[in-house]
Amino acid sequence: MVRLILDSPSGGYPVLMGTNLQRELRNVITRMDPTGAAIVTDTNVRPWAVKVAKAIKGAGLKTAIHAIPAGERSKSMLQLQGVLSFLERQQIDRGGCVIAVGGGMVGDLAGLAASMWQRGVRLVAVPTTLLAMVDSSVGGKTGVNGRRSKNAIGSFWQPSAVISDLAAIETLPAPGYRDAFAEVVKYAVAMDRGLFELLERNAPRLLERDLSMLERVLFRCVAAKALIVAKDERDRGPRAILNYGHTAGHALEAATGFRVTHGRAVAFGMRVAARIALAMDLCSKRVVDSQDALLGSLGLPDTAPRADPKRVLAAIALDKKARRGKVAWVMPRRIGHAEIGHSVPGAIIRRVVTRSLA
Ligand SMILES: NC(=O)c1ccc[n+]([C@@H]2O[C@H](COP(=O)([O-])OP(=O)(O)OC[C@H]3O[C@@H](n4cnc5c(N)ncnc54)[C@H](O)[C@@H]3O)[C@@H](O)[C@H]2O)c1
Ligand SMILES: [Zn+2]
């Protein structure tokens, strides 16, 4: 097991990463000494939530499980209301805690509920997807979707502890597992050359879900994110580096009505960003090629997504407008180092996006 303390301005908390962490979970809860624990999960992950409930039974706590329907559509005001009613029924008071057991959907929703209930109760994150472990469970962003806008309703609410039990990964469906590597490559290209090299050397082991290799990779991802969150908890500046690949990526998701998965879209977005950087002489061709090769070896091949370039470009323009023309491009300069706030001429964006979709 490895352990790291994320030191955010609103308080530090441990992130534990390993396999079969039931005992560690019980210790964490015992130390927190909550007056009650409410477990929020989804219908697919319920068996894990039951394990969590068993693990903390020894702590002499009243616990209950609330399972919401699996899927992004549950990240809604309706389900938020459901979770809040559950906390009310369980009589969770200010000394109680919420335990989120699931992927990013459950984590974001339960986190928001925890930040609101009694004006904020403690949250323990038990992420069960690779994406949630490497990204969404750390950093304190919570939220639900509006009718038309993703993550529009949310808060910053840091967990009191994150317990990433990699054993959960074994039951993950293959596409979701693979897609999460887009975020892993994001950290590597934008922030951590050593991680990039580790991934290059070990892609086959990772695809086979070798848990000890995954533990090393997860640690480096969380360390990279922790570094940024410590500097910019509320996403006013440097945290934007975590948007590497997300400008064109989000546009592709929006232009295809979210038919393209987030991971695939981010992989596309990183390919676009690197090509733009090359066109602007900000990076070398080797950056583009080695990023392409790594994505390919992690099961994110360079097949152009089926999308209308005009729509993707329109979505990028909308993003720019939303930021009042302030540019959001994160540009790789070399492997392991990207820069935020680059402004890109429209002609280059048009050319690269159109070519990447051909
Ligand atoms: N808060 C943040 O900083 C942040 C960052 C990135 C993404 N997100 C959010 O995270 C969400 C995506 O997260 P996700 O990819 O984990 O999706 P998810 O939570 O919807 O999980 C994907 C699917 O896997 C199932 N599942 C979860 N764990 C499993 C397991 N161990 N075995 C088998 N099946 C399992 C779920 O039931 C679901 O069907 C999005 O809503 C996104 O907006 C948030
Ligand atoms: Zn992302």
Side-chain angles (χ1 to χ4, degrees):
M1 187 198 67
V2 285
R3 181 190 157 95
L4 174 153
I5 302 288
L6 194 153
D7 219 349
S8 85
S10 56
Y13 53 93
V15 183
L16 274 50
M17 296 156 269
T19 36
N20 300 317
L21 300 182
Q22 285 88 344
R23 208 182 54 213
E24 283 75 8
L25 178 66
R26 187 173 65 232
N27 291 343
V28 162
I29 299 288
T30 307
R31 259 190 312 255
M32 283 170 63
D33 193 23
T35 49
I39 300 174
V40 179
T41 190
D42 76 27
T43 43
N44 290 338
V45 201
R46 203 186 165 91
W48 273 101
V50 171
K51 266 194 186 170
V52 166
K54 276 198 189 130
I56 62 176
K57 217 169 174 187
L61 262 180
K62 205 182 96 188
T63 56
I65 299 175
H66 178 70
I68 56 185
E72 182 69 19
R73 283 190 52 186
S74 284
K75 228 176 91 171
S76 63
M77 289 298 287
L78 187 72
Q79 294 298 336
L80 175 66
Q81 175 66 63
V83 174
L84 292 170
S85 301
F86 166 64
L87 300 181
E88 187 169 45
R89 279 197 308 279
Q90 294 309 311
Q91 300 177 320
I92 295 296
D93 62 20
R94 296 204 56 198
C97 78
V98 172
I99 305 177
V101 183
M105 185 278 284
V106 164
D108 282 11
L109 172 67
L112 179 56
S115 77
M116 295 168 78
W117 181 249
Q118 304 287 334
R119 299 198 182 86
V121 294
R122 287 170 295 176
L123 169 72
V124 173
V126 182
T128 61
T129 65
L130 183 57
L131 180 118
M133 291 181 192
V134 299
D135 194 354
S136 63
S137 65
V138 288
K141 283 192 183 176
T142 80
V144 297
N145 302 323
R147 284 231 176 97
R148 275 180 289 274
S149 39
K150 207 170 141 56
N151 295 331
I153 307 148
S155 63
F156 287 98
W157 191 248
Q158 301 291 344
S160 298
V162 181
I163 291 141
S164 287
D165 194 330
L166 284 158
I169 298 294
E170 282 172 338
T171 56
L172 266 186
Y177 174 72
R178 219 177 30 216
D179 284 1
F181 278 105
E183 305 286 358
V184 174
V185 172
K186 171 188 85 176
Y187 291 117
V189 174
M191 296 179 67
D192 184 351
R193 188 191 176 91
L195 174 59
F196 193 92
E197 287 162 0
L198 187 70
L199 296 170
E200 282 185 318
R201 286 196 305 273
N202 295 288
R205 276 177 77 180
L206 290 164
L207 285 183
E208 284 164 17
R209 310 193 191 196
D210 176 317
L211 297 187
S212 66
M213 183 48 61
L214 262 177
E215 184 180 293
R216 288 176 65 185
V217 166
L218 172 60
F219 179 81
R220 292 191 83 119
C221 293
V222 173
K225 186 154 186 187
L227 211 65
I228 289 294
V229 172
K231 273 196 234 162
D232 180 21
E233 183 177 13
R234 302 238 151 188
D235 204 1
R236 305 260 182 245
R239 191 162 172 171
I241 200 165
L242 301 178
N243 286 336
Y244 175 52
H246 283 62
T247 306
H250 280 152
L252 178 65
E253 285 182 286
T256 56
F258 294 88
R259 262 187 301 106
V260 178
T261 65
H262 183 67
R264 296 249 151 192
V266 171
F268 167 82
M270 291 190 289
R271 286 193 162 99
V272 165
R275 281 164 174 76
I276 290 177
L278 176 64
M280 292 173 70
D281 251 344
L282 291 168
C283 77
S284 67
K285 177 91 170 33
R286 274 191 49 200
V287 170
V288 176
D289 291 344
S290 52
Q291 178 181 267
D292 275 356
L294 180 61
L295 286 169
S297 69
L298 288 167
L300 295 158
D302 190 7
T303 38
R306 279 220 319 249
D308 178 356
K310 281 205 193 80
R311 285 199 173 185
V312 177
L313 289 164
I316 290 175
L318 214 65
D319 180 58
K320 187 173 167 189
K321 214 168 124 196
R323 291 165 204 269
R324 294 218 205 111
K326 253 178 63 192
V327 217
W329 289 95
V330 183
M331 296 276 97
R333 299 301 307 267
R334 52 181 188 274
I335 294 299
H337 181 76
E339 279 171 4
I340 62 173
H342 274 274
S343 123
V344 180
I348 295 183
I349 301 176
R350 278 193 294 280
R351 195 176 71 226
V352 171
V353 167
T354 309
R355 273 194 199 155
S356 305
L357 289 169

